[in-house]
Amino acid sequence: MKKPLLSICIPTWNRSEYLRICLDSLIGQPEFFTEDVEIIISDNYSPDEGATETLGKEYAEKYENIYYFRNESCIEDKNFPMALSRANGILRKLSNDSIIYRPGSIAYMCGMARKYIKEKPHLFFLNPRVDQSYKKPKVVDFDHFMRRTSFHATWIGSFAMWDTECEELLDDTGACELKLWQVWKLCRMFEKRNAGVVLYKRFADNQRLVNRLLTYNHDQVFYTNFMTILKPEIKSGLLSRSCVKKIERDLLFDFFTNWMLLWELQISGYTFTENQDFKQRVLDIYKDKPYYRFFLIYYRFLKFWPKEAHWKPQWGGRSVEETGNTIRLHTPRWCIHCRCRFRSPGNERDHQEIAGCKSGNHRMRLVKRCTAQTRYDLLPCSGRYQTISS
């Protein structure tokens, strides 16, 4: 039997409705039906009255390259290496159960696996907010790798391993108690071979989780635990102090800020922890940093934006408002390429609105969404937006 080229390993717990959408986004791609791809579902003993188990078995029976496994008990983050160990592929990629894969994503990942199968550097699928596939990937050391990935290194959806790195994986469960096994394993992999590649194509979108738990010790996991894992790499010389300082700053401005606003403003759609001043805990961490006062001004400015703006997804300076089966995009005041101010798009049309900058070089096409999963991506070569529906 031929060994699959790519294994997409999905550790899941109690999210059957999101898992179904995730699987459907993979099954809808023609590359899924080739012998190069397999999907591993590792159910971490979901307490949902058998909903996840029923779903997993349904897909496993219907498709011969989907495999469903259910743990005998909840093993928390140890389910990550467990899912990878159950795979048979040459390249094994972890995946969240709540993401939606874009059309062509499987073909892209298989293409990267074929490209690097001989050298086998550590691949990292960054999935940036705006697609940057025009950037040429190159092999870099751990310090440059972390400068490019920053705190995104904590996301399991970007993590991938070659089959040669999966030996005795079930015994390799360090830092699972820190909730960042993937970062710990990444460090161990670079200690053995200091060569990695960051891939900049946006391959997936996130589903918005209903009543998502907010501040489940975010500061503890993503700062304290994260820095605990990285500090030994400074002593070993793999990581520079300036790189760690950059990651700390990125965490504050690009990660913690949004969660602090959601917590302080009590945005609907999230479940909040009680009697824990999440904002103050983060500020206490950064109070001695040289950019602390600037951050307070920056945070105060964001705080006075409309509450709804803090959770709306942003693409290229455009805020998105969802109502029923339509989507309304709020046009920015200027073109994000040449900074020319936009003319008014005028009256709405049935299918699209046109707004162009005064120079006429850059135009944006605004298309109303036809499904719940439509996304808008900036095409850097032409300054246009395209609609991608999963």
Side-chain angles (χ1 to χ4, degrees), residues 13 31 39 63 67 115 122 139-141 156 182 192-193 215 237 251 253 270 283 296 304 306 372 380:
W13 184 80
E31 293 77 14
I39 297 176
Y63 303 100
Y67 303 92
K115 180 178 179 180
H122 314 303
V139 179
V140 296
D141 60 19
I156 67 167
Q182 62 278 16
K192 294 181 179 178
R193 188 174 183 220
T215 71
L251 273 169
F253 283 90
Y270 293 86
L283 294 180
L296 293 180
F304 286 100

Side-chain angles (χ1 to χ4, degrees), residues 241-271:
R241 293 188 182 277
S242 61
C243 178
V244 174
K245 289 181 179 179
K246 176 186 180 299
I247 295 172
E248 287 180 325
R249 184 184 176 95
D250 291 345
L251 273 169
L252 179 61
F253 283 90
D254 299 332
F255 180 76
F256 284 134
T257 297
N258 190 46
W259 291 108
M260 290 163 64
L261 289 167
L262 291 172
W263 183 87
E264 185 174 6
L265 300 176
Q266 297 288 298
I267 302 299
S268 60
Y270 293 86
T271 302

Side-chain angles (χ1 to χ4, degrees), residues 24 52-53 66 74 103 139 171 192 195 239 244 281 305 309 312 321 346 351:
D24 287 342
T52 301
E53 184 176 8
I66 294 182
C74 180
V139 179
D171 299 326
K192 294 181 179 178
L239 202 60
V244 174
R281 295 203 311 269
W305 281 43
K312 288 179 182 177
E321 178 182 347
H351 299 288

